[in-house]
Structures are given as C-alpha cells and as structure tokens.
Amino acid sequence: MGYIDKNLAPVDDGALMDAYSQSIAHAVDIVGPAVSRIERVGGRSGHGSGFAISPDGLIVTNNHVVDDARLVRITTPDGLVTEGRVLGRDIDTDIALVRANTSIGNWARLGDSKRLRRGHIAIAIGNPLGFEWTVTAGIVSALGRSMRAANGYLMDDVIQTDAALNPGNSGGPLVSSGGEVIGVNTAVIQGAQSIAFAVAANTANFVVSEILRYGRVRRAFIGIAGDTIELPRRIALEAGTTQKTSVRVRRVEPGSPAERGGLADGDYILAIDGKPVSGVDDIVRLLDGEKIGHGTEFLVFTVAGKIETRTLLPLARA
C-alpha cells in the first residue's frame, strides 16, 4: 500500500514560468537576427518572411512569398536593406531559395525535424501584418500532417502548431527551444483558432540541397500518399530493422508505378534500396532524381502480414 508524503515541497510556478520564458528568449536571441522581411521586386506585390541559413546570404522562404518574382528586397532586423535573386523554387513543398546580394552575417541552423515530439515548444518568428519581427510561441500540436500545395500536390510530413501565425509569417522559421529551425511556416486555416502549419526542416533541407545542385528539385514519382506511424516492435524485429516508426500507404494512384509494383493501401514501407524509412520525409529524400527509370527495391510489411520486397520503376515527376 502506498502513502502520501505530506512534506513534499510545493511546485514553484514562478520558477517554472521563468524557465519557460528564458528558453523562448534564448531561442529568439539565436534565430531572430537571421530572420528577414522579404518583398517582391517586380510582378505582383507582396511580402513575407525568410531566414538566412548561411553567412553568405542564402535565405529560405516560401514559394508563395516570392511567387513569380525573380528579385526580392531583403530587410534584416539590424536595418540592412539589399536585394536578392531567387535561385530556385519548389511549388510542391512551397519552399524557395534566395541568394542575397551581400553577406547577411547572422544565420540559423536547420535542425532535425524527425526528432520532434508532440508537445515540444514551437516558436514562430516573422513579419505578420506589417508588424516586423514578431514572436509567438506554442507547441508542436501534431506531426506528419498532409496539406495541399498551391498546385494541388499533397504535401506530407507537415508540422501542425498552435503558435499564432498571420499573413506575413509565411516563410519565417518555426524554432525549437534549443534555437534550431524545425520548420518553415507556411499556412494557417482561416477561421480556425490555433491551427497553423510548417514544412518540416528535413524537407526544407532536401529542397535546398536540390536547388543548389540542380537549380530545381528532381523527384521520382511512385504514386502514393502516406503517413508516418509507429512501427510495432514485432514487425521491426521480423524485418531486421531498428527504426521505431515507418510509413503506412494510405492511397495508391491507379496506373502508378506503385500499383504496377504491387503496393497496396495499408502496406508499411520499411526500407528503400536497403535504407530505412522511418518517416515520409525519408521517402521524399530517397526518391531523388537518381531513382528515375531505375528498378528500386521497397521492403514492405504487407496488409497480408508478410515481409516482402517489391521492385518499382519510378517515373519522373512532371
């Protein structure tokens, strides 16, 4: 039988709040100086936010912030105003990469969004409704969400947060309490309260790498929609894998490489060409341009309860 220790010290709410405040202020001190106001030069007018990821002026923002502009005006928190060239854009993930004409100086680090958990602190920094360098804070409400991009493409591995976002926050960073960028703020549901979305940092990192290397994002296409879920330990042991999560196929498009290769709704994708798949962002990363037209092995746990290998022939995304 247990007992209650009547001498337990009461929780110091003031100390807890102070620690919470300090962690947010520390993260803002680290990332805030890297956040810029982004305005289109030429084309349709509009503005949003962005953040530098290197000292030489590489800036990540949203595709819908730069839209059809080739040049943008960049304003930093310390008053520097310069122009930048849009190096590339990816409408599928709503990510764009800008090169400033001058060195920005302050920059932020893209973290590993796969390490996120629901309930982690999420801090949004941006320029909403003309109020420059505004900070809002909340938590990571959900992971692995899907939402439609402007072209109708279903973006997977999207972070849901209750940190308040408004027009102008788009392209700004979603930041962890450790001062790492965990996402790129991209959308808010009009009329809803405390429901906003950010593209995961791992997806943004992949897009940036592709743009720097090829000037665009090359993707192999297999024709599925999926979500990240916990992988039962018995399946991991049977398959000889170590990951704790996997991707469950939610929909297979008719006539797609996935259908021709034998994938079905409800299958778990465990690995691609021997590399473990623990999240949707892994599929995005592993199905790069090198896979186009080449036989690619998918290790799956089928809806029939078997561990099997399927060979797919990915096509090039239009």
Side-chain angles (χ1 to χ4, degrees):
M1 182 175 177
Y3 68 93
I4 298 176
D5 186 349
K6 295 182 179 179
N7 295 319
L8 286 174
V11 175
D12 187 345
D13 291 339
L16 289 176
M17 286 302 297
D18 187 60
Y20 174 73
S21 299
Q22 289 296 330
S23 65
I24 292 177
H26 176 68
V28 172
D29 286 344
I30 294 173
V31 179
V35 180
S36 299
R37 176 185 170 95
I38 307 294
E39 298 174 85
R40 300 171 197 156
V41 176
R44 291 178 291 183
S45 62
H47 79 276
S49 304
F51 58 96
I53 57 171
S54 69
D56 60 346
L58 277 179
I59 295 175
V60 174
T61 185
N62 280 156
N63 174 69
H64 77 262
V65 169
V66 299
D67 195 44
D68 58 347
R70 295 186 178 183
L71 296 175
V72 296
R73 182 174 296 105
I74 302 161
T75 306
T76 68
D78 57 8
L80 172 68
V81 179
T82 186
E83 286 192 351
R85 177 169 56 94
V86 179
L87 293 182
R89 63 196 87 208
D90 183 43
I91 194 171
D92 287 351
T93 57
D94 198 22
I95 296 294
L97 186 64
V98 173
R99 169 81 74 181
N101 291 344
T102 60
S103 173
I104 296 298
N106 297 299
W107 57 283
R109 181 175 178 270
L110 283 170
D112 182 3
S113 54
K114 195 180 298 180
R115 297 169 56 189
L116 287 176
R117 296 292 182 270
R118 286 178 298 175
H120 278 183
I121 291 174
I123 306 157
I125 308 175
N127 301 279
L129 302 172
F131 296 98
E132 280 82 2
W133 296 284
T134 295
V135 177
T136 58
I139 61 169
V140 173
S141 304
L143 297 165
R145 293 296 198 210
S146 298
M147 62 178 293
R148 294 286 176 186
N151 64 345
Y153 177 72
L154 190 67
M155 292 193 295
D156 292 310
D157 199 36
V158 174
I159 301 167
Q160 180 184 331
T161 177
D162 68 349
L165 299 180
N166 287 287
N169 272 117
S170 293
L174 189 69
V175 184
S176 72
S177 58
E180 291 184 334
V181 177
I182 55 176
V184 183
N185 298 319
T186 189
V188 61
I189 296 179
Q190 296 298 328
Q193 294 185 1
S194 302
I195 300 179
F197 300 97
V199 177
N202 286 10
T203 299
N205 199 19
F206 164 76
V207 171
V208 168
S209 299
E210 286 285 295
I211 290 175
L212 288 175
R213 187 174 180 184
Y214 301 107
R216 61 185 178 89
V217 179
R218 304 180 311 145
R219 286 194 180 87
F221 167 78
I222 62 170
I224 66 167
D227 51 11
T228 302
I229 61 168
E230 287 190 16
L231 180 64
R233 180 169 172 74
R234 66 174 184 83
I235 299 176
L237 290 173
E238 184 179 349
T241 61
T242 58
Q243 71 259 40
K244 296 181 180 179
T245 57
S246 183
V247 171
R248 178 180 57 196
V249 177
R250 290 195 291 109
R251 186 178 70 254
V252 176
E253 295 186 14
S256 66
E259 185 186 56
R260 293 194 294 269
L263 286 185
D265 294 359
D267 285 350
Y268 287 33
I269 298 176
L270 306 176
I272 298 176
D273 279 347
K275 297 179 180 178
V277 171
S278 57
V280 174
D281 61 319
D282 286 331
I283 293 182
V284 173
R285 177 176 55 84
L286 293 172
L287 288 180
D288 57 19
E290 304 301 324
K291 297 289 193 298
I292 297 171
H294 293 87
T296 304
E297 291 190 348
F298 283 67
L299 182 66
V300 300
F301 177 74
T302 70
V303 289
K306 298 179 180 180
I307 303 291
E308 296 182 353
T309 299
R310 302 274 192 262
T311 301
L312 276 63
L313 195 66
L315 301 175
R317 276 284 312 278

